[in-house]
Structures are given as C-alpha cells and as structure tokens.
Amino acid sequence: KVAGRDIVDPNGHVTLLRGMAFNNNIWEPYTYPLNLSNQYNGEYAYQELKSLGMNEVRYLLNSRFFEETDTPYVYRESAYTVIDQNIEWAKKYGIGLILNMHMVVGGNPQGDAWSNEIWTNAEYQNRFVALWKSIAARYKNEPTIIGYGIFNEPQPVKLEGE
C-alpha cells in the first residue's frame, strides 16, 4: 500500500519496487488453451528475477486475451487460469504483480495499429470498464497483486473538428 509518497509492504516496511515487464506475447494471436509455461514467463522467470534481487513484475495484458470480439462481456476462464498460475509462481518467489492492460479493446494505446475507437465508441469504453471490474473483483483480496496499470500509455487521437 501507499503511505504518503512511500510504498510499504504488508509488514509496514518502506520498500522500493525493482522489477521488469513480462511481454506475455500480447501482440500475437492467442491459441487456446493457453500455454502456462511459455517462453515469456514460466516459473523459471520468477526464479531468475528473485535471484537478481527483483521484487515486482509488470504483467502485460491484452483485452483479447479475455474476450472474443463477437462475445463481449464473456470472459475466458483460461485467461484467469494463466494469471492465477503466475500469481502462484510470483508468491513462491516473493514477487509482486502489477496487472497492466497494455492492449485495450477498440484501440492500441501506443498508436493506431488496431484502431483508436476506444476514445469515441461508448460500447468499447463500457467493455473496457466491465473487464476491469471483473479483474478487480477476482483479485481484490490477492496480496500478490500490488497494483494495476489500468490503461497503458494512453494517447488519445485528435478528433475531427479539433
């Protein structure tokens, strides 16, 4: 949690987050069922981070990981299974996770690779909020989740007429 400008651990000790991001292959199409021990973040990665003195992982997410375009608001349990497995590994090695929505429905926060409709399409905005509510409800009592990156590097586009 935060105390003033400090981050404190569950014992109340001021801590400095030292870590890195896990790519999680977020730009590639997913195949199901998802591989829990892929080249990006198997248990070995948490063990390696711990050996390097790190205590945090920014765990990148893609909204497409959770739902298909044609079935909005229906979330794959397999997406949560992958996160749950990573929580177990992180917990085993004393690593905290920051869940970071790197790719959002209706837009790519780093530019226009998909579209930028997240800024103008109310349905995409509703889906984005609903997904985060689902994620937050699932992990609200999980101490290994130390934070959330709600929308990675948002870059709104200039709208017509501006």
Side-chain angles (χ1 to χ4, degrees):
K1 64 183 178 178
V2 177
R5 299 186 120 200
D6 295 323
I7 298 171
V8 295
D9 68 16
N11 299 317
H13 300 109
V14 174
T15 189
L16 176 64
L17 297 179
R18 296 173 308 280
M20 62 182 300
F22 278 178
N23 177 303
N24 299 337
N25 210 20
I26 62 167
W27 290 277
E28 300 297 324
Y30 291 106
T31 57
Y32 298 93
L34 295 165
N35 180 357
L36 290 172
S37 296
N38 68 31
Q39 64 181 340
Y40 296 99
N41 63 307
E43 180 177 0
Y44 67 90
Y46 290 95
Q47 184 177 19
E48 180 71 13
L49 288 177
K50 183 65 172 181
S51 74
L52 294 171
M54 296 187 187
N55 62 2
E56 172 269 325
V57 165
R58 188 167 148 247
Y59 193 85
L60 306 185
L61 301 173
N62 180 332
S63 62
R64 293 180 181 184
F65 180 61
F66 292 91
E67 66 176 0
E68 293 285 346
T69 302
D70 59 347
T71 55
Y73 307 101
V74 177
Y75 307 120
R76 292 184 186 96
E77 184 59 29
S78 61
Y80 289 110
T81 300
V82 170
I83 295 170
D84 292 346
Q85 178 62 74
N86 278 269
I87 287 171
E88 286 182 39
W89 292 329
K91 197 175 290 188
K92 181 176 179 179
Y93 295 101
I95 305 286
L97 296 179
I98 297 172
L99 299 181
N100 176 266
M101 190 63 69
H102 214 75
M103 306 293 276
V104 301
V105 64
N108 174 355
Q110 280 77 39
D112 61 358
W114 298 345
S115 77
N116 283 298
E117 292 181 75
I118 187 70
W119 305 111
T120 57
N121 183 312
E123 178 60 13
Y124 285 152
Q125 294 166 11
N126 291 338
R127 285 171 61 186
F128 176 74
V129 170
L131 175 56
W132 266 116
K133 284 182 178 180
S134 174
I135 293 168
R138 175 119 176 185
Y139 298 113
K140 67 182 177 183
N141 295 316
E142 176 51 64
T144 303
I145 303 297
I146 60 172
Y148 299 96
I150 302 298
F151 193 136
N152 187 70
E153 301 171 8
Q155 295 179 6
V157 297
K158 186 174 181 180
L159 301 175
E160 269 187 54
E162 288 187 350

